[in-house]
Amino acid sequence: FIFRRERFTIVHTHNPKPGFLGQIAAKMAGVPIIVNTLHGFYFHDHMHPVLRHFYIIIEKIAARCSDVVLSQNREDIETAVREGICPREKIKRLGNGIDVQCFNPDTLSPKDLARKRLEVGLPNGARVVGFVGRLVREKGLLELFAAARIVRKRVPDVRFLLVGPVDTHKRDALTPDTAQEYGMADVCHFLGMRYDMPELYALMDVFVLPSHREGFPRAPMEASAMKVPCVVTDIRGCREAVEHGRNGLLVPLGDVQALADAVVELLTDQEKARRMGEEGRRMALERFDERLVFEKVRAEYARLLRE
């Protein structure tokens, strides 16, 4: 109804559920141009085959309604073509981006960081491992807590900074109490939703995202822009944000020991961590500048309007 009443020229959808419903609704309403940004397929290789097939069918239906699909990561393009979701000529790589001027470590002074460290309760001299994301199992938090126990034995002064909300609407939601179950509550700082992310990244020695599924995660891009080396799972999406050995390390999905080893490696080899941090900043400027994404979207709109 709204699409028909407002007579939009372009409808641009995002994310699995609104993307599916929005593309179909726009098609039914006769919207001339329909664009969908693919933030990562909901299905993945570790999903039950029946459920995976169901989500593939959903994606096929939605893609038939769009004029173009803009994929944030390269691997989803190949998946879309292989699974018959859409032809190659309909899907294009968009990438993902952040404000690299906002996430710039050079804008923060040692005094700013000392004040922020005191504010969040980090002891002087403590090594800091950071996580940013929703507090859900899918983000790999159970693996992180299990790995944290190993890390603590090898780096006794370590602290874990966890930034993000409790996602109570998700069936796999976790709370700060989960850290208590793993005996790690005394070294975990849960900060909830925050709006001072550049400062918080700057407190981290290592950023960790042991996620099970990603499209093109923003947090590793932000951490890289802040010169923080990353440890992420070796899955699609994460591989777009982190190059193994360049701006961080990739570890196998669900491998707690490998996750712990990678974190300890970057906490104890400070020269390697520094080099990866510098490379992360270079990668952010080359690849993760959101203005590159804006320009691609603008150019695609212009092309579709001409046609």
Side-chain angles (χ1 to χ4, degrees), residues 36-170:
N36 180 51
T37 289
L38 177 61
H39 293 255
F41 288 123
Y42 191 79
F43 63 87
H44 53 82
D45 294 337
H46 304 282
M47 183 178 281
H48 190 283
V50 173
L51 195 58
R52 187 176 188 277
H53 183 63
F54 169 76
Y55 284 116
I56 289 173
I57 292 173
I58 292 295
E59 294 288 353
K60 287 181 179 180
I61 294 170
R64 286 189 173 92
C65 297
S66 281
D67 294 288
V68 67
V69 177
L70 302 176
S71 177
Q72 287 196 330
N73 77 62
R74 295 180 182 88
E75 292 182 57
D76 280 340
I77 295 176
E78 299 307 317
T79 300
V81 174
R82 184 176 63 250
E83 299 292 347
I85 291 169
C86 67
R88 189 176 294 276
E89 58 269 21
K90 183 179 258 193
I91 187 167
K92 300 183 178 182
R93 183 175 181 271
L94 176 63
N96 199 1
I98 59 170
D99 185 342
V100 293
Q101 301 310 314
C102 173
F103 292 95
N104 182 356
D106 295 338
T107 63
L108 302 174
S109 70
K111 186 176 180 180
D112 293 332
L113 299 183
R115 184 168 56 247
K116 185 62 65 174
R117 195 177 183 95
L118 183 65
E119 176 192 322
V120 301
L122 291 171
N124 287 330
R127 308 291 288 161
V128 180
V129 177
F131 165 90
V132 178
R134 296 175 296 115
L135 301 188
V136 292
R137 291 175 189 264
E138 188 180 58
K139 292 293 182 182
L141 281 172
L142 297 186
E143 294 91 326
L144 177 56
F145 292 136
R149 292 192 293 200
I150 301 172
V151 174
R152 186 182 193 182
K153 291 177 182 177
R154 296 163 68 181
V155 186
D157 65 345
V158 72
R159 292 293 185 272
F160 294 86
L161 201 63
L162 297 103
V163 185
V166 176
D167 199 339
T168 54
H169 299 294
K170 296 293 184 180

Side-chain angles (χ1 to χ4, degrees), residues 72 93 95-100 103-104 201 207 209 215-228 230 232 237-238 240-242 247 280-281 283-285 287-290 293:
Q72 287 196 330
R93 183 175 181 271
N96 199 1
I98 59 170
D99 185 342
V100 293
F103 292 95
N104 182 356
Y201 281 118
F207 170 81
L209 183 66
F216 194 152
R218 298 180 65 83
M221 291 190 288
E222 294 170 348
S224 292
M226 292 298 297
K227 298 185 179 181
V228 183
C230 301
V232 302
C238 286
E240 292 279 324
V242 176
N247 65 324
R281 180 65 187 172
M283 279 182 65
L285 294 174
R287 304 183 189 178
F288 305 150
D289 190 332
E290 64 185 7
V293 178

Side-chain angles (χ1 to χ4, degrees), residues 3 11 13 17-31 34 58 61-66:
F3 289 164
V11 165
T13 60
K17 196 178 294 183
F20 173 67
L21 297 174
Q23 288 171 88
I24 292 175
K27 190 71 172 180
M28 293 175 65
V31 173
I34 304 170
I58 292 295
I61 294 170
R64 286 189 173 92
C65 297
S66 281

